[in-house]
Amino acid sequence: MDAKSTLEITNSFPFPAVEPPPTDAYHDSNNISQLAAAAPRSKANGLYQNEMIKKLREVNVDANNVGWYTSANLGNFVNMNMIENQFHYQKELNERTVALVHDVSRSSQGSLSLRAFRLSPAFMLAYKENKFTVE
């Protein structure tokens, strides 16, 4: 719920596990992690997400999609997959969606580390016009 510039997140659910293609005899772990990182943009997971929200509403849970979440280690989370996922959510779903980042290593030091991010309108425009690079 988004009220008075405060976003309240009460429920979350993970995407289904990403399985490597069955035709590969050898699975590169980097390829599998790339598949998992792109999960929020996958069409099948979009359908899964809609079905989960429908089921939550059936049991009287106030359910609205406000974004997605990911984990990080030592604050390391900004990469092209993260940017592409957030761009997808803000463009396709709602410009106010957030990426919620749980830093596991910082949380293990005694205090919960959760941070929420959005892409600025200026960044959204630059990314849409291919004026952004990681170099």
Side-chain angles (χ1 to χ4, degrees):
M1 186 163 101
D2 192 357
K4 298 181 183 175
S5 73
T6 300
L7 180 64
E8 181 181 329
I9 300 172
T10 56
N11 292 291
S12 65
F13 53 88
F15 289 116
V18 175
E19 297 293 326
T23 56
D24 291 348
Y26 171 76
H27 303 302
D28 180 12
S29 63
N30 189 36
N31 187 34
I32 294 169
S33 66
Q34 291 293 329
L35 288 171
R41 298 185 309 273
S42 98
K43 190 172 190 173
N45 282 340
L47 297 172
Y48 172 79
Q49 206 170 30
N50 291 337
E51 187 65 25
M52 287 296 292
I53 289 173
K54 179 182 170 188
K55 289 181 185 304
L56 286 168
R57 287 183 179 150
E58 287 174 0
V59 293
N60 290 328
V61 173
D62 184 23
N64 294 304
N65 188 340
V66 296
W68 61 288
Y69 68 90
T70 189
S71 61
N73 191 21
L74 296 172
N76 186 13
F77 65 92
V78 177
N79 57 41
M80 281 308 295
N81 281 315
M82 190 273 187
I83 292 169
E84 288 171 358
N85 288 337
Q86 187 60 23
F87 180 82
H88 169 78
Y89 269 79
Q90 283 184 228
K91 180 177 162 261
E92 300 296 327
L93 189 65
N94 181 336
E95 65 187 27
R96 297 182 54 80
T97 58
V98 297
L100 187 65
V101 179
H102 173 228
D103 192 321
V104 180
S105 58
R106 288 186 180 160
S107 292
S108 70
Q109 296 172 354
S111 63
L112 181 62
S113 177
L114 290 173
R115 295 168 45 191
F117 296 90
R118 285 188 184 123
L119 300 176
S120 70
F123 184 90
M124 291 285 292
L125 183 62
Y127 188 81
K128 182 179 178 180
E129 295 174 351
N130 291 323
K131 293 181 180 177
F132 169 78
T133 65
V134 292
E135 283 101 40

